[in-house]
């Protein structure tokens, strides 16, 4: 992520609902992506969705 190179390209769950992603945070092997009422958690190496916190 430091170089800006694309490592993986996956859709963000419910990205058509709510607000756009404006930030993200990497902690260990996970990438945390907040948007609107959700926090999506991804595996930082593979881009696989680990889970989502929040409700509609």
């Amino acid at each position: 992520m430091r170089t800006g190179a694309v490592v993986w390209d996956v859709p963000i769950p419910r990205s058509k609902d709510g607000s756009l992603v404006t930030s993200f945070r990497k902690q260990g092997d996970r990438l945390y992506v907040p948007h609107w009422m959700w926090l999506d958690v991804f595996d930082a190496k593979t881009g696989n969705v680990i889970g989502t916190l929040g409700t509609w």
Side-chain angles (χ1 to χ4, degrees):
M1 284 194 278
R2 291 182 185 160
T3 66
V6 175
V7 178
W8 40 262
D9 184 9
V10 297
I12 295 178
R14 289 165 299 287
S15 61
K16 294 181 181 181
D17 300 321
S19 62
L20 299 174
V21 174
T22 59
S23 65
F24 60 88
R25 173 101 175 154
K26 183 178 182 295
Q27 181 69 38
D29 291 336
R30 294 187 176 180
L31 185 73
Y32 298 91
V33 182
H35 63 105
W36 205 42
M37 297 176 67
W38 300 287
L39 175 67
D40 293 310
V41 183
F42 294 85
D43 181 295
K45 293 180 183 178
T46 66
N48 290 333
V49 177
I50 294 172
T52 300
L53 300 170
T55 61
W56 175 260

